[in-house]
Amino acid sequence: MAELEGFEYGKSDFVLLDEVTMEQFMDNLKLRFEKGRIYTFIGEVVVSVNPYKQMDIYRKEEIDAYRGRELYENPPHLFAVADAAYKAMKRRAKDTCIVISGESGAGKTEASKYIMQYIAAITNPSQREEVESVKNVLLKSNCVLEAFGNAKTNRNDNSSRFGKYMDINFNFNGDPTGGHINNYLLEKSRVVQQQGGERNFHSFYQLLRGGTPDMLSRLHLQSEPEAYVYTREGASVITGSNDGSCHKAVLSALKVIGFTQEEITSIYKIISTILLLGNLEFEYDGEMVQLPAADSVRHIAELTSTDPESVSKALLFRTVATGGGEVIEKGHSQQEACFGRDAFSKALYERLFGWIVSRINGVIEVKGYNPALHGKNTVIGVLDIYGFEIFENNSFEQFCINYCNEKLQQLFIELILRQEQEEYHREGITWQHIDYFNNQIIVDLVEQNHKGIISILDEACLTVGNVTDTICLESMNNKLGQHPHFTSRKLCPTDKTMEFHRDFRIRHYAGDVTYSVEGFLDKNKDPLFQDFKRLMYNSSDPVLKDMWPDGQLSITEVTKRPLTAATLFKNSIIALVGKLACKEPYYVRCIKPNEMKSPVLFDEARCQHQVAYLGLLENVRVRRAGFAYRQPYARFLQRYKMTCEYTWPNHLMATDREAVEAIVTQHGFEEDVAYGHTKLFVRTPRSLYTLEQERAALIPILVLFLQKVWRGTLARMRCRRMRAIYTIMGCYKRCKVKGHFWEVERRFAGVRSMEDYGKSVEWPTPPAALAQFHAITQHLHRRWRARQIIKNIAPSDMPEVRAKVAALGALSGERPSWGCGRAWERDYLANARDAPQTSSNFSRAAKELKGRDQYGQVLFSGFVRMVTGLSVTSGSDQMVALHTSNQDDFLIYLQRGQLCPNQDRVGELVGTLCDHFTRVRNTDLPVKVSQRSLSVYMSGKQKNVAMETKPGQVTADFRKSRGGFTLLLPAQ
C-alpha cells in the first residue's frame, strides 16, 4: 500500500481494484490523471501517464524521501522503482533491469532521464572523482544521443527514433564504475524523407540554427534549413525547444564525455556532407548521367577528405566484377543515381550514430576490472525502446518495432508469472494455474526459421532475378495462409480495408496492424554500393576511415553475403531478451493520454487501446491470481497493529505471525488469507481496505496521543537539560572561582618577605564573575602594601610624604619635573642655608605675624616675582597661578634659593597646598596643568600669560603684553 495518498485520488495500486475490468481500470487511471497523480503501481510495475507539463516532483526532497524506502512506503513514483532496482542490485548482489515501454510521445525518454538522475543522485556519497566522472558521462550521453537519435514527429516533439539499452556497472559499494550502450534499429530512412509536419533528426537543425557563421562557412552551409532538401520539410515546424541553445549543450556534452575537437569537427563535417548530398541533382544528357553542381561535389570532397573525382565517380558509376575476375564500370541511370545518393546519405548517418555510441562506450566501459580484487560487479540495465506503433501507412520499420514489442510482451508475462510462481513456492503457498494469452504464436509467425515472415523476406532477397514486393507477398499468402494471426486481401477478399497485392495484416496481442509490403525488400536488403564504402575507407579523415572498415575489401574479393536488416534486428532483439531474462526486471509502462499534447485532456479510447496492447490488465490479473496483496509479517504488523487490542502498542506473543493471526481473527478475515513462511497473503482487496479504513480512523487519535506524549517528553527533556546546564555552569563557575583563589594565594604567598611587598607579582586573569571582586582585591593589596611601606616612615617625614602624594595626584603625570626626588624644606625663607641674607628678618616678621594673626604654621615660603593674579604649566618653569573665587587671581614665579640653583619647587608648593586643603576642607583642590600658557583673571578680566626666552635676561621676570603678561626667562 502506498502511503500519503487519500482515497480521493483513487487506488494507488491497480491490484486493489474491486473488480479487474477494463472499465474500473480506466476509471481509476482517469481519476488519478485528473488529480495530478501520473504514477500508479501494478505491484512492482509503474504505470506512467504523460502529464504534458512540468511537474515539481523530481526535486532533492523527493529523492531523499524515496532513498532506501520500500515501494509501498511512498506514493507511486519513478524514483520508487529506480530505488527498488538499486536496492536489489546492492543488497542482494543481483543484476536488475528497468524496462521502459510505451508508444511514441508517452514519455519514455523523460522517464529514463529521471531514473538516471535518481541513480546518479543516490550514489557516490563520498564524491570520489573517478565515480563522478562516470556519472557525468552517463548523464551527458543522453543529451548527445537525443540530438543524433531523436526527431520531432506528429506524435512527439522529442521522439526517440532508435531503441536504447544501457547497462550501468556498479562496484561492491554500489557506486557506478562504467556502462555500455546498445542501440537498435535507427530510423535512418528519416534522413532522406519525413512525413508532413515532421522533422529530420535534431542534429541537422541544431547545426544550421546554432552554428556560428564562421563554423557554417567552413562547412559550406547556410543557416536556413529551407535551403536543403533533407531538412526542408521540417524547416517551418515549431518545436518546444531552442535549436541554438541545444547545439551549445550538445557541444558541451561532447567535450565532457571526452570527444576531441578533431572528432567533433569530423562529426559535423559528416552532417554537412549529408545535407549537401541531398541537394545534388543528376541530369541525363542522352548518353549518360551528369552532375552539374561541380562546387557541391568539391565541397563534399573537402568535407570527407577525399578527391572530387572519386566522389563524382562513386555517385555516377558502379564498379562490378565479372565472373572471370574482370572489373568494369557501369554508369547509373538517373533513378539509380538518386537511389545511390540517398542510400549513401542514410548509411553515412547510420554509421555516424553507431560510431558515436561506440565512442561513448569506449569512455564509460569498465577498465581494469578484476573480480578477485574489486569484488562482484553488478549491473542495472535501463531499456528505453519504442512502443507498439500503428500508423495509417505501416511499413518495414513498424513491422520490426511491433515484432520487438511482441518479444518484450512475451518476456514480460513469462517473468511476471515466473516471479509469482517462485514467490508462492518460497512461501509454501499452492500455485494455481493462470489462463493468459500466450503470444508465442505471433512471435513464431514473425521469426520462425523457414516459415516465419522474416525467413520469407530473406528468401526473396536471396532469390536471383527480379523479385518484387508483390511476389514476396504472394509467397507469404501461400506459406502463411492457414495461420490464425495472418491475413491479406487475397486471403480475405471481402475485407476492403486492405489493398490487393499490397497489404497484409498481423493480429498482434495489442491489436490488428495492416502493413504495406511496398519497400519491404529494399529496406530488408539495405543495399549500398561498394564504391561508397571504398570511397569513405580511403578518406584521410581517421574518423571516417574508422566508420567504414568494410571498405578495405577489394572489388574482386568474394565475401559472404551480409545478413539482411530484418535478420540483424531479430538477432539483436533475441540477444536483448536473453540479457533481460537473466536479470530481475522492473517495468515502467508509459501511456499517452491524448494526441493534442494537452495536460487536461484524457482520451479514453486512445488510453484504453494502449492499456490493451501493453497488457496491463493481464498484468493485474496475474498479480491478483489467488492473492492480490502480500506483505512480510513484520511490515503488516507494523502497519495494522493499532487495529487490534492484542497487538497495540506492542504484542506479547511468541512471533510476529501469531500477532498477525490475532489481527486477522479479530476482523474475521480467516477465510480470505493464507499464511506463508514469512508473508501474509490477502486474497481480495476489500479485506485490505477494511483494515485501511479502520487504520485511517485511528491514526488521528493516535497522532494526538503521540503528540501529547511527545510534547510532554520534550518539555521534560528540556527541563532536565536546563537543570543540567545550570548545574554544570554552577560547578564550572565554582571551579573557576576556586582556581582563581588558589592561584592568587599561590602567587602572593610570600609577599610579606618581598622587598616590594608583591608589587612585581603579576595578577592572574580573573573569571568574568570575579571582575569586581578582583578590582577590590587589587585595591586592598595596594592599600596593604602602602600601609607596610608607611609603617617604616618616621612621623616627622609624614607631612612631606602626604604633600608629595597630593602633588602626584593633582599634577596627574602631566608635569614631568616637579621635585619629587628631593627633600622638601617647605619654609625656605626661614632657612639660613637657602636665604642667608633674609632668613633672620623673615623669621622675625613671621613671629610678629603669628603673634598678631594667630596662624598655626608656615606651609610654604620662598622668593617670588609677583603680579596680581594665578595656575601651573607642564614645563620646567616655576610659574604658578592661584585662582580666587572673585576672579582676582594671584600669579607668582618661584625663585630658587641658595640650596640648589635648579630646584623645582612648584611640585612642593602644589603638594603642600593640596594636602592641607584636603585635610582642612575634606575636598580636593582643583589643579589645572596647561601645555603652553596660563589663563588668569585680574579684576574680573581674563589675561593670558605666555612664556618667552630672552637672551641677556638674568632672572625671570614678568612684562605686560597686549593680551596680558609675558614671563621672560633667561636663555639656557
Side-chain angles (χ1 to χ4, degrees), residues 662-680:
I663 296 174
V664 171
T665 302
Q666 179 167 317
H667 290 85
F669 297 154
E670 299 95 321
E671 301 300 323
D672 201 40
V673 301
Y675 299 97
H677 298 313
T678 63
K679 292 181 179 180
L680 173 74

Side-chain angles (χ1 to χ4, degrees), residues 829-900:
L829 293 179
N831 192 325
R833 290 178 298 155
D834 191 66
Q837 297 176 356
T838 60
S839 59
S840 58
N841 293 333
F842 177 77
S843 297
R844 184 171 56 255
K847 188 175 181 181
E848 292 175 358
L849 189 62
K850 184 176 183 181
R852 188 180 61 196
D853 293 341
Q854 298 296 318
Y855 66 86
Q857 61 177 334
V858 177
L859 297 177
F860 184 88
S861 67
F863 293 103
V864 299
R865 305 293 294 179
M866 179 183 65
V867 173
T868 307
L870 197 123
S871 240
V872 218
T873 68
S874 60
S876 61
D877 60 89
Q878 301 298 298
M879 183 168 55
V880 178
L882 298 177
H883 301 285
T884 62
S885 59
N886 58 358
Q887 292 191 339
D888 200 0
D889 298 339
F890 190 59
L891 182 65
I892 63 174
Y893 185 86
L894 300 178
Q895 286 191 320
R896 298 177 175 89
Q898 300 297 318
L899 284 175
C900 182

Side-chain angles (χ1 to χ4, degrees), residues 124-196:
N124 194 31
S126 59
Q127 297 293 302
R128 288 169 51 207
E129 186 177 346
E130 62 273 21
V131 177
E132 284 300 301
S133 174
V134 170
K135 283 163 54 174
N136 285 337
V137 172
L138 290 172
L139 292 175
K140 293 295 183 182
S141 67
N142 279 327
C143 175
V144 174
L145 294 180
E146 279 188 25
F148 291 91
N150 288 24
K152 196 273 182 202
T153 67
N154 289 321
R155 294 188 171 191
N156 184 4
D157 284 356
N158 188 32
S159 176
S160 296
R161 306 318 299 161
F162 71 106
K164 179 180 71 175
Y165 175 74
M166 177 185 287
D167 267 334
I168 309 172
N169 297 84
F170 295 83
N171 60 16
F172 67 97
N173 284 330
D175 292 330
T177 58
H180 187 83
I181 300 171
N182 292 97
N183 63 295
Y184 301 94
L185 195 66
L186 177 73
E187 188 190 19
K188 61 182 179 181
S189 59
R190 180 171 294 271
V191 173
V192 299
Q193 185 178 9
Q194 307 92 41
Q195 294 186 27

Side-chain angles (χ1 to χ4, degrees), residues 42 409 412-413 509 589 610-620:
I42 303 177
Q409 175 67 11
F412 175 65
I413 295 295
Y509 78 93
R589 304 300 231 180
Q610 295 172 75
V611 168
Y613 78 64
L614 287 171
L616 300 184
L617 220 53
E618 285 83 355
N619 189 190
V620 176

Side-chain angles (χ1 to χ4, degrees), residues 57 167 180 265 285 310 401 449 496 757 905 915:
I57 57 174
D167 267 334
H180 187 83
T265 302
D285 62 359
S310 298
I401 287 170
N449 291 333
K496 296 184 179 180
Y757 296 106
R905 295 180 181 177
D915 176 55

Side-chain angles (χ1 to χ4, degrees), residues 13-16 20 41-45 71-72 416-417 419-420 423-424 431 434 616-631 679 681-683:
D13 194 329
F14 286 112
V15 172
L16 302 177
V20 185
F41 285 137
I42 303 177
E44 293 182 346
V45 175
L71 275 171
Y72 48 81
I416 292 294
L417 282 173
Q419 284 179 334
E420 290 289 299
E423 183 170 28
Y424 277 48
W431 170 257
I434 301 169
L616 300 184
L617 220 53
E618 285 83 355
N619 189 190
V620 176
R621 291 194 181 102
V622 168
R623 186 71 181 177
R624 279 181 54 137
F627 299 95
Y629 178 77
R630 70 287 314 265
Q631 194 65 270
K679 292 181 179 180
F681 289 75
V682 182
R683 181 169 281 106

